[in-house]
C-alpha cells in the first residue's frame, strides 16, 4: 500500500514541477509581448485609421516577438542567476519599447541583442 502512495506522491511532485514550468513560460511570453501591448495602446491613443493601424500592429507584433524570442532564447543559454536574467530582460524590454514605439529609432531598439549575443559567445 505504501509503495503505491509513494509512486502517487512522486507523480504529483513531477506534475507540480511541470505546472510551475508552464506558468513561468506563460509569464515570460506575456512579459516578452509587453512592448506590443504598449504599442496597441499607443496606436489607439494616436487614433490611427483602419488600414494603418492593422499594418502598424502587424509589424510591431512581429518585431516584438522576434526581439523577445531571441532574448528569451539567449537568456536560457546564459549561466546567470535567475533574478539577474529577469532584471536584464526587463531593462531590454524597456529599451526596446522606448526606442521602437516612442522614439522611432528602429536600429537602436535592437541594440540589446548585440551584447546578449556577445555574452552567449563568451559564456559558451
Amino acid at each position: 500500500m505504501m509503495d503505491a502512495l509513494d509512486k502517487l506522491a512522486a507523480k504529483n511532485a513531477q506534475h507540480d514541477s511541470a505546472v510551475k514550468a508552464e506558468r513561468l513560460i506563460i509569464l515570460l511570453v506575456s512579459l516578452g509581448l509587453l512592448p506590443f501591448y504598449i504599442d496597441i495602446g499607443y496606436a489607439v491613443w494616436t487614433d490611427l485609421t483602419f488600414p494603418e493601424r492593422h499594418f502598424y500592429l502587424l509589424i510591431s507584433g512581429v518585431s516584438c516577438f522576434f526581439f523577445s524570442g531571441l532574448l528569451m532564447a539567449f537568456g536560457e543559454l546564459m549561466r546567470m542567476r535567475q533574478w539577474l536574467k529577469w532584471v536584464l530582460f526587463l531593462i531590454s524590454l524597456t529599451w526596446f519599447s522606448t526606442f521602437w514605439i516612442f522614439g522611432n529609432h528602429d536600429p537602436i531598439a535592437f541594440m540589446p541583442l548585440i551584447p546578449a549575443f556577445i555574452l552567449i559567445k563568451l559564456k559558451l
Side-chain angles (χ1 to χ4, degrees):
M1 182 70 170
M2 286 302 278
D3 201 24
L5 289 176
D6 289 339
K7 287 181 183 178
L8 184 61
K11 284 184 180 181
N12 284 342
Q14 188 179 26
H15 176 71
D16 289 343
S17 66
V19 167
K20 184 179 176 183
E22 287 176 6
R23 286 183 183 157
L24 181 64
I25 290 171
I26 290 171
L27 179 66
L28 270 175
V29 170
S30 299
L31 250 173
L33 292 176
L34 184 65
F36 180 63
Y37 305 143
I38 294 170
D39 215 3
I40 289 173
Y42 184 71
V44 169
W45 183 59
T46 57
D47 243 1
L48 292 176
T49 59
F50 172 70
E52 290 174 349
R53 180 182 295 171
H54 291 304
F55 181 70
Y56 180 72
L57 291 179
L58 175 74
I59 296 295
S60 174
V62 168
S63 63
C64 177
F65 190 73
F66 172 73
F67 180 79
S68 298
L70 281 175
L71 275 181
M72 286 187 275
F74 288 162
E76 277 297 310
L77 295 175
M78 289 183 189
R79 296 181 198 134
M80 296 179 178
R81 296 187 185 271
Q82 192 69 28
W83 65 269
L84 184 59
K85 288 181 190 180
W86 281 90
V87 168
L88 291 175
F89 186 59
L90 288 174
I91 289 170
S92 298
L93 286 179
T94 305
W95 175 279
F96 182 75
S97 297
T98 302
F99 287 106
W100 175 262
I101 300 167
F102 303 114
N104 291 328
H105 301 295
D106 303 339
I108 297 173
F110 287 94
M111 286 295 181
L113 291 177
I114 295 170
F117 184 73
I118 291 170
L119 273 173
I120 290 295
K121 284 296 190 182
L122 292 176
K123 296 277 182 166
L124 293 179

